[in-house]
Amino acid sequence: MFLNRRQALVASAAVMAPMIANAKLPAHAKIHCPFSAGATVDMVCRQLAEQLRGKLAETVIVENRTGAGGLLAIDALVRSPADGLTLMVHGGAIQSVFPHTMPKLPYDPFKDVAPVSMTHQLEYGFAVGPAIPESVRTLNEFLAWVRSNPKGGAFATPGAGTPLHFVPMVVSQSSKVDLVPVHYRGSSAAMPDILGGQVPAISTALSDLVPFLADGKVRMLATSGPTRNSLTRNTPTYAEQGFPEVTAVAYNAVFVQGDTARAKQEEISSMVRAALATEPVRVAFEKAYIKPYGCTPSEALTEGRAGYKRWGKVVKAVGYVPAQ
């Protein structure tokens, strides 16, 4: 079979088109993760990397930059080229809370990093373990019990200077009940002491507590959302129990280097939101008790600035003094 000149050109173009398209796609991109492998945020990073492969770059890898309270991952992002090929998934707290709790913040939260989309939202939960009597089923019952048992007011947190530390402290101030934080390096490190009865209560992400509720060893007393969470419908919110000032919803987001061109930020945001809408991501998130939640760069930035003002007031109100 012989092709005429026109047929040959068409055939050649059909062969060359995907080659040209691939040539335009960068070879490598990376996503920095501030947590170790196996953590929820690590799962989020790996799901996004899989979905962005072949779109953002031919290969997208996850680098776990753990340590220094999440600052190592931020430093790696800030030092990267502003070409949109280095991403980071981190908590919105790097813009809203860290500036108020770290005396020498090594980055500008609104210049050095830029959020392009949220990945998911999460609420906080307050739960008690076997150290607290079975009869205690609500936050107010817990506070009443602590009034009668002052040494029982300790609660675990996954880290000092975090919203999970501050939420019970606001309750403590409002109720005039002495609650004392016990800080751990993550909620997974704290759970053995909760289950063993060494620490009575814990304030952590709701998604971290749900797996422990089924056998009754851990009882959820309050959640931080504006309405009851679908995962714990029988648990009233802080607001329902008389603490409306504790209503709070956290989020994680995809960040790029702050000097990344606005058009590139919008492009990456669209890719991330498309990834979050895929069935594999939905299923993976559901197993981790979280729901995909994407947004535009403008929406993410607006939330970051609002959180900065909100948490600044909270940190001041509870009298938190950062370690020097």
Side-chain angles (χ1 to χ4, degrees):
M1 177 180 179
F2 295 95
L3 301 178
N4 60 33
R5 176 178 172 79
R6 184 173 182 280
Q7 289 173 321
L9 287 173
V10 171
S12 176
V15 172
M16 292 298 293
M19 296 175 63
I20 293 171
N22 286 337
K24 292 180 180 178
L25 198 63
H28 304 288
K30 66 179 67 173
I31 303 176
H32 290 307
C33 176
F35 297 98
S36 58
T40 298
V41 174
D42 175 74
M43 178 278 292
V44 171
C45 290
R46 294 183 188 282
Q47 287 294 322
L48 289 179
E50 179 63 25
Q51 295 299 325
L52 295 176
R53 181 168 54 86
K55 302 176 183 69
L56 179 63
E58 291 181 7
T59 301
V60 182
I61 63 171
V62 175
E63 289 192 359
N64 298 90
R65 298 270 185 161
T66 62
L71 292 179
L72 293 185
I74 299 172
D75 182 68
L77 179 66
V78 170
R79 293 175 182 273
S80 69
D83 56 8
L85 294 178
T86 301
L87 314 180
M88 176 185 68
V89 177
H90 214 311
I94 71 171
Q95 291 186 310
S96 60
V97 180
F98 284 16
H100 305 294
T101 59
M102 296 187 178
K104 296 180 180 179
L105 199 67
Y107 66 94
D108 187 304
F110 295 104
K111 291 182 180 180
D112 292 336
V113 297
V116 296
S117 173
M118 295 182 192
T119 57
H120 62 284
Q121 293 182 319
L122 61 154
E123 296 176 14
Y124 308 136
F126 188 84
V128 295
I132 302 300
E134 284 280 342
S135 58
V136 174
R137 295 285 170 171
T138 69
L139 181 61
N140 284 310
E141 288 175 352
F142 171 73
L143 295 173
W145 184 84
V146 174
R147 286 191 183 97
S148 301
N149 302 270
K151 293 183 179 180
F155 68 94
T157 84
T162 65
L164 297 162
H165 168 197
F166 297 137
V167 164
M169 298 309 295
V170 173
V171 171
S172 179
Q173 283 192 335
S174 298
S175 64
K176 295 181 171 53
V177 175
D178 193 19
L179 301 181
V180 182
V182 181
H183 303 302
Y184 290 79
R185 298 187 67 176
S187 59
S188 60
M191 286 311 299
D193 285 351
I194 301 299
L195 296 172
Q198 287 88 355
V199 180
I202 182 170
S203 171
T204 192
L206 179 66
S207 57
D208 290 341
L209 291 170
V210 171
F212 297 94
L213 300 179
D215 61 7
K217 291 183 178 179
V218 172
R219 305 189 303 281
M220 189 85 75
L221 302 187
T223 59
S224 69
T227 60
R228 294 194 183 193
N229 191 284
S230 60
L231 295 173
T232 54
R233 294 188 185 279
N234 293 327
T235 302
T237 64
Y238 279 103
E240 285 181 84
Q241 300 182 78
F243 301 96
E245 66 275 26
V246 179
T247 300
V249 177
Y251 64 90
N252 279 274
V254 175
F255 292 85
V256 296
Q257 210 269 4
D259 291 328
T260 304
R262 184 68 182 187
K264 190 65 177 180
Q265 293 185 34
E266 296 286 354
E267 179 186 352
I268 296 170
S269 178
S270 295
M271 291 182 186
V272 170
R273 283 178 280 149
L276 293 172
T278 62
E279 185 65 7
V281 169
R282 185 194 67 77
V283 171
F285 278 34
E286 189 175 77
K287 290 180 180 178
Y289 304 104
I290 58 176
K291 293 181 180 180
Y293 186 90
C295 67
T296 66
S298 294
E299 290 169 335
L301 180 60
T302 296
E303 181 57 34
R305 292 191 181 281
Y308 175 84
K309 294 180 180 179
R310 182 169 61 250
W311 285 106
K313 294 177 181 178
V314 172
V315 172
K316 183 177 181 180
V318 301
Y320 178 73
V321 178
Q324 297 295 322

